Amino acid sequence: AAAAAAAAAAARATVHRVPADACHQGPEPEALLRVGGPSRAVRLFSASCRCRAPGPRSPRRADRAATMWFAIWVTVLAASGNNIGKVLQKQATRTLPKLVMRPEVVRAYLSNTTWTAGMLTDLGGALLMLVAFANAPVSVVQPVSAVGLVVLLIFSHFYLRERLSRAE
């Protein structure tokens, strides 16, 4: 029984060679795969692995950078859409009755094209924000979304004709 247990332990600790094309960034002549048990495997990279070698940017890193820039631009569009939608809704409320949950008032809001356009623009911005969060971490998306406040200030001044104080 002790010999069988020792043989099983030796089999679990056996190092197997991996084909050269198995490296996630291209051929790797000395990639090793160490099997540590029936359900886990850990890849050990040799010193010659391109994954650890310094040098020009890998295609994978370039893809991540492109994805990050895509997310940044989508965040700018999303934040702008959210805030422009709110400006349009505020413009529409100047001619609409006070919002109360009565069918005729709700119908008045929904039939107003400016208010509806604002609502759809705001919703479009929210959907774009989901796309941004799917492509970049919160630590990138959240600071970039502050651009929406600048858009809100500009639209409030020029479209709504609101005066901005020094503090704003």
Side-chain angles (χ1 to χ4, degrees):
R12 281 195 301 269
T14 304
V15 175
H16 301 281
R17 293 267 175 211
V18 174
D21 61 346
C23 177
H24 70 278
Q25 292 212 357
E28 178 185 337
E30 298 176 26
L32 302 174
L33 184 68
R34 180 175 299 259
V35 180
S39 65
R40 64 177 198 214
V42 178
R43 178 180 289 257
L44 301 176
F45 295 103
S46 66
S48 65
C49 176
R50 277 203 230 165
C51 305
R52 303 258 172 115
R57 296 179 90 185
S58 66
R60 179 177 241 179
R61 196 176 303 168
D63 288 345
R64 276 187 271 160
T67 301
M68 193 68 64
W69 279 109
F70 169 75
I72 289 170
W73 284 111
V74 168
T75 302
V76 169
L77 289 173
S80 299
N82 285 339
N83 289 294
I84 290 170
K86 287 171 180 57
V87 167
L88 291 172
Q89 287 178 307
K90 183 174 181 179
Q91 176 68 27
T93 59
R94 291 180 175 174
T95 60
L96 290 169
K98 183 177 179 176
L99 181 61
V100 291
M101 298 311 283
R102 283 188 279 164
E104 62 273 4
V105 175
V106 172
R107 211 172 300 115
Y109 274 78
L110 294 175
S111 64
N112 185 297
T113 55
T114 305
W115 191 89
T116 306
M119 176 61 83
L120 293 175
T121 304
D122 197 2
L123 287 173
L127 292 175
L128 285 174
M129 195 63 78
L130 289 175
V131 172
F133 279 121
N135 288 289
V138 174
S139 60
V140 172
V141 174
Q142 189 61 40
V144 174
S145 67
V147 169
L149 293 175
V150 175
V151 171
L152 180 63
L153 284 172
I154 293 169
F155 268 78
S156 295
H157 180 71
F158 290 107
Y159 186 73
L160 296 176
R161 306 275 187 228
E162 293 181 352
R163 292 204 180 266
L164 303 175
S165 68
R166 279 195 164 186
E168 293 173 320

